[in-house]
Amino acid sequence: MKTLIAYFSYTGHTKGIAQQVQELTGGTLFEIRPAKSYSSDYDTTERQGRKETSEGYHPALAEQVADLDSYDTILLGTPNWFNTVAPPIATFLAENNLSGKKIALFCTNGGGGLGHIVSDIRTLSKDSEILDSLNLYEDGGAGAKDKISDWLKKNGLNQ
């Protein structure tokens, strides 16, 4: 089984979780980045993110995953942006055929939980098997590694 860990991170929380997931699985790490970076000013990005998510906007991505077909499982990381996936994640899901692949979501948030992210991923990846999700507040705190490990075991994805 070949595993891709694809994630988008604005504040660094999701990136930190993705790196821990990579350490535990040995999967290939891939950062999903928009072609045009978001502002470093949080308030500006929050306004832009709210507009993009409400309009269903899919920003162009800086690059694509090489040889995506070779991966069986995708561990997909996103921050909760207004109760859904961040727009670059929506673009990734919309632009790539993930039929027959297993997708396990890990989500970081500032208090919004998973929102309707799982149902949105099911809509964007209709022919994929959606596994159990991991929901972490910000960077997951001191117990993040244990929570990640438990999530991977629950999904049969630990190394």
Side-chain angles (χ1 to χ4, degrees):
M1 180 171 74
K2 194 169 175 189
T3 302
L4 175 70
I5 304 147
Y7 70 93
F8 167 76
S9 189
Y10 175 71
T11 64
H13 293 144
T14 310
K15 180 177 185 172
I17 299 301
Q19 290 169 333
Q20 291 180 64
V21 168
Q22 197 277 331
E23 289 171 18
L24 292 168
T25 64
T28 304
L29 205 56
F30 178 78
E31 183 175 7
I32 297 168
R33 295 178 297 111
K36 183 178 182 222
S37 297
Y38 288 101
S39 171
S40 60
D41 178 71
Y42 184 85
D43 292 336
T44 300
T45 296
E46 182 179 28
R47 283 189 301 277
Q48 180 180 350
R50 182 179 303 275
K51 183 177 190 304
E52 288 179 357
T53 56
S54 71
E55 294 175 357
Y57 177 71
H58 293 172
L61 299 181
E63 63 184 311
Q64 297 293 328
V65 175
D67 199 19
L68 183 62
D69 290 341
S70 71
Y71 294 97
D72 306 299
T73 304
I74 298 171
L75 307 181
L76 186 65
T78 185
N80 176 332
W81 276 25
F82 309 100
N83 290 313
T84 191
V85 297
I89 294 292
T91 301
F92 175 82
L93 292 170
E95 289 183 352
N96 291 289
N97 179 1
L98 304 179
S99 297
K101 297 188 185 304
K102 294 178 181 178
I103 299 174
L105 168 74
F106 57 98
C107 173
T108 58
N109 69 83
L114 286 171
H116 48 80
I117 292 173
V118 175
S119 63
D120 292 345
I121 288 175
R122 286 187 201 286
T123 299
L124 290 165
S125 302
K126 289 181 173 70
D127 297 322
S128 301
E129 180 183 352
I130 309 301
L131 305 176
D132 285 333
S133 300
L134 175 64
N135 176 33
L136 295 165
Y137 178 75
E138 294 186 347
D139 66 0
K145 196 152 225 157
D146 289 338
K147 291 175 189 172
I148 294 166
S149 182
D150 290 346
W151 167 69
L152 291 169
K153 286 177 190 166
K154 189 175 188 181
N155 285 307
L157 299 172
N158 48 331
Q159 202 174 17

